[in-house]
Amino acid sequence: MHPFHRPRPARVPLRWKIAALAAATACLVAAAVGVLVHLWTAQDIRSRAEAQAFNSVYSAMDVYRHTGTLADGAELDPAELPAGLRHPADGDRHTAYDGRVEGNLGPSVWAAQRTGGPGSRVLAIRVNMGPELHGLRRLDMTMTVASLVALAAATPLAVYGAGLLGRRLRRVSETAGRISAGDLDARTGPTKGGDEVADIAATVDRMADSLGRRLRTERQFTADVAHELRTPVGGLLAAADLLPPGETEDLLRARVRDLRGLVEDLLEISRLDAGAEQPVRVRVPLDAVVSEAVTRTGYETEVTVADARSAEPSPTVETDPRRLERIVSNLVINAHRHGATPVRVTVEGRTVVVRDHGPGFPPDLLRDGPRRFHTGAKERGSGHGLGLTIALGQARLLGAELRLDNAPDGGAVATLRLPA
């Protein structure tokens, strides 16, 4: 994790969102299809029952008029006949739906017709739809089971397909994260599919190429300027030594020394950016190196070694002592220049903590890390803002972790953890 980024809250992976959406869509489709099939089948059952009742009344009426007997299923003025068919206004055949359930009879369709003129009896036939509706319920159950089986089979496929898409997007996200963290050589590379994800990956790679070219151009410009300034600055310092002693000579010498320090810092940053620096590791006592670095700053700083009272020897670390001194001295100088006293340095194990009691680091520095020629908040004073940048670059070179934070009771805290 980048030392200046806060952890993000937990999030639901994209593949689970896609799988849930696919499952919800499948459920809606299955439900819609089931409802449509149910309604269409129920309407078909009722239509066939009405046609059967209508035709049966026609046949029964023909038999009754020729023989005076009732065909099978035919009744005269049955008590269960719906009210709308008891007194038809004409001699035509009529049908009516009866939703009552009596005994073994389910919903039915009645068909009726007068046997003669007005006031004559009504011949009716009842067609029971119970068996067909029972079959409809079985069809509903079968479709429900089939939908559940299809959903159970489709969900793993949706999860797998969404996982493939999620992995491709994760590659692009990881590449963008590495670029954001400073790895300008990170690339997603060619991606299969030829879809929007491939377009996003190609766009991120092109962005990284363009950003890398611009940054290399800026770094080369900085290095060239620093190299070009080194010689005239050295000449200025030599010329200042030839001036007669006095206030003007002291002021000029101090300004030239500041300018030379700035040029040396720019050259050091250029070498770190170019990867030209290589640490020379030796095993050294950490507390001794830190104490020496603090002493060389010339600032009054309290140094505390956590294991100083122990009978055991001070712990040693395998690192580059020159670069470690550079990191510690930059942190101490930054604390004195931009913070407030007292400044304390604590050594515990492989950890070095530098704390001041000033206004603390500004929020944008804690969020984005140190930036060149940017000191943050106005209350932290002036300067060219290269000290923390160099310290961070040297820490990366040593494989150490440098974290910047603010103490709860005020003051900036810089924590350097050396690798085991």
Side-chain angles (χ1 to χ4, degrees), residues 245-265:
E247 182 178 351
T248 302
E249 185 267 344
D250 293 338
L251 181 61
L252 180 60
R253 187 191 298 272
R255 294 296 179 266
V256 173
R257 285 200 185 99
D258 292 340
L259 182 58
R260 185 177 65 175
L262 174 58
V263 172
E264 295 296 334
D265 287 346

Side-chain angles (χ1 to χ4, degrees), residues 57-71 90-93 113-117 120-121 123:
V57 165
Y58 178 82
S59 300
M61 183 61 69
D62 184 66
V63 171
Y64 180 77
R65 285 175 177 173
H66 286 85
T67 64
T69 60
L70 294 176
D90 51 31
D92 295 334
R93 285 168 286 174
Q113 183 180 4
R114 285 190 179 277
T115 56
S120 60
R121 305 186 72 179
L123 186 145

Side-chain angles (χ1 to χ4, degrees), residues 30-65:
V33 171
V35 170
L36 291 176
V37 170
H38 176 88
L39 294 176
W40 180 84
T41 306
Q43 183 63 33
D44 181 67
I45 291 174
R46 182 168 175 174
S47 298
R48 286 188 285 109
E50 289 178 350
Q52 181 183 350
F54 197 84
N55 293 332
S56 297
V57 165
Y58 178 82
S59 300
M61 183 61 69
D62 184 66
V63 171
Y64 180 77
R65 285 175 177 173

